[in-house]
Amino acid sequence: MARKATTADGKRQNAAKVSPRPTSDLIRFEEANVARLGLISVQERIPESYASWTVDFHVDGRPARLTCDAVAKYGGVPHGLDGDVATAIIDLYAEAGSPDDGTVRTTAYQILRRAGLDTSGRYYQSLLQTLFRLRTTTYTASEAWRDHGRGHWTTATFNYLSELEFTSDDEATELSSGSVLKIRLAEPIVRSIRARYTKPLDLDFLTSLERPQTRAVYRLLDARRYDPVTPGTLQPTLSVNIIEWAEACKIVDRRSNKIRATLQGAHEELMLRGYLEDVTYEGRGRAQTIIYRFVVLDTQPASPLVEAMRTYRVSLPVAQKLLTDFGEAHVRARLQRFEALISSGYKARNRSALLVDVVRDDQGKYADVPQVAPPQRQAPAPASYMPTLDEVASEDGNLEERVEATMKTVQFLLRERLSVSEYALLRLALILGRLDHARVTREATRAKREGQLDDFVTGLLDALQHVQLEAS
């Protein structure tokens, strides 16, 4: 993230002024039901007694209701920075390939970074409270949840997170930068994402906004611009009754003057940053209408390379991200290599996954077409053969960033093969230099390619046992 140093209320300091991007340039998405319903209050602070809310509205001319029941000891209903964390978790889930069990394996550090929040100590305590709120708060969307697979509105009752497991430092019960987490998203959210009931998300612009409230209002406004049945073309304006909008934003004080005051800061920032053209009010009191006029961005047709990748069933966001990350020359060359590989008779279970791997490969895995028999995989060496902490720290780049990159790769490849505590031990071994991050990444990738992940895990656990014995 370009922006550092976040204050206690979530405000970014020295933020890079990222501009909104056209929909055609966006490579990330969010689940459309969650975005449209506004499950998390836009308010940064709420009264201690604010532990539930109910909103009645209409969907396609039919009455609908959304309720929220929270646990008071965790700080009431989800609000403020909780929206940033929830968005980050869904983004990490999508990045992991949207597994059908809804599980996200990550670290506390990764969540804070993805949310654009500061990674200093006190934010881990805030993160834990957020996760508890998302785990224990119960939502009921009555005739308000879009079952995109079946094409109708339904009723869904769920907790945002259906499972939460994490590790803590010795003699502590809080999160820290070393905490490893296993999170399972609610089944309705998972089912919706996998049915591709999603909308584009400008994550760079979102995380560059200074206030949690601005980010929350932006998420809700951006979702309401899309048709709820078939998310597609953006609307240039949005008109909404002020009380209905306060309910959608989950604002506590529903007096019209208080609503305007609550939203004013978010409106000003979104106009200053080039997302809103203007905001006007028509009428008086509770009958007022808020009229949002959005800045209309120029759109460009999709790149021919993106379209070529999509013919192999690579999703549009993934194809766009590959082009952004690697550039046209690299993607064009790798696409040709992939096609030559397929033409040579290479058998791929999933051609889209193979194409993505060929583009991302930095180990020379697909240098030969057809590919020759790979060398015998070796398990990670015992701890005594690994570099020392001083040797690891002397490498270019930030140690923690390199460790987090390795953890993301290993968690994606191994999934349930390691427990949460074993992932935590792996992270510790990488931080201490008892295991080499580059070698672990390389060996895990090779084992996946050769279908020998179980053997790799056996060797890895042996190495981790040496680390544990050494530390005890």
Side-chain angles (χ1 to χ4, degrees), residues 7-193:
T7 61
D9 61 358
K11 187 179 293 183
R12 271 72 163 172
Q13 296 175 343
N14 303 319
K17 299 301 183 184
V18 178
S19 299
R21 292 187 293 169
T23 302
S24 59
D25 291 348
L26 301 182
I27 59 176
R28 288 186 161 92
F29 63 82
E30 57 184 340
E31 195 278 327
N33 281 303
V34 168
R36 175 179 48 82
L37 292 172
L39 301 180
I40 296 171
S41 171
V42 305
Q43 294 192 233
E44 296 172 27
R45 295 177 178 83
I46 60 173
E48 292 183 1
S49 59
Y50 194 30
S52 66
W53 48 255
T54 298
V55 178
D56 292 302
F57 52 101
H58 286 80
V59 175
D60 283 350
R62 297 166 52 192
R65 170 173 289 184
L66 180 66
T67 64
C68 170
D69 294 290
V71 178
K73 73 174 183 178
Y74 294 131
V77 300
H79 61 280
L81 293 176
D82 298 355
D84 298 319
V85 171
T87 298
I89 291 172
I90 285 185
D91 194 52
L92 289 167
Y93 168 72
E95 187 178 87
S98 304
D100 56 6
D101 65 355
T103 299
V104 180
R105 293 172 182 81
T106 184
T107 65
Y109 178 86
Q110 289 172 9
I111 294 176
L112 289 178
R113 282 298 304 271
R114 187 58 58 93
L117 300 173
D118 189 64
T119 54
S120 60
R122 59 196 174 91
Y123 282 91
Y124 292 98
Q125 183 177 357
S126 297
L127 173 60
L128 184 58
Q129 287 296 107
T130 288
L131 292 174
F132 281 151
R133 278 193 290 271
L134 296 177
R135 174 66 187 92
T136 59
T137 298
T138 300
Y139 294 99
T140 301
S142 302
E143 295 298 314
W145 189 268
R146 181 71 179 174
D147 186 335
H148 200 54
R150 299 179 180 179
H152 62 249
W153 299 96
T154 185
T155 295
T157 298
F158 59 93
N159 302 92
Y160 205 106
L161 306 181
S162 65
E163 182 179 340
L164 173 63
E165 185 178 347
F166 61 89
T167 63
S168 300
D169 293 337
D170 292 341
E171 300 179 358
T173 59
E174 302 291 330
L175 291 176
S176 68
S177 61
S179 295
V180 176
L181 298 95
K182 176 183 176 183
I183 297 170
R184 193 182 303 276
L185 285 165
E187 183 179 348
I189 296 176
V190 172
R191 191 165 56 244
S192 191
I193 291 174

Side-chain angles (χ1 to χ4, degrees), residues 305 327-340 358-359:
L305 283 174
E328 288 191 7
H330 177 95
V331 172
R332 183 178 293 106
R334 293 302 178 88
L335 179 59
Q336 292 172 350
R337 183 174 300 176
F338 162 80
E339 290 176 339
V358 170
V359 174

Side-chain angles (χ1 to χ4, degrees), residues 17 20 51 54 91 97 169 186 204 230 265 300 327 354 369 372 391 409 413 443 463:
K17 299 301 183 184
T54 298
D91 194 52
D169 293 337
D204 290 336
T230 55
Q300 300 294 329
L354 175 63
V369 180
V372 298
E391 290 172 331
T409 298
L413 294 174
E443 295 291 346

Side-chain angles (χ1 to χ4, degrees), residues 455-470:
D455 291 340
F456 170 80
V457 169
T458 299
L460 180 61
L461 290 176
D462 287 343
L464 292 177
Q465 188 174 22
H466 281 82
V467 175
Q468 194 167 32
L469 290 174
E470 186 178 88

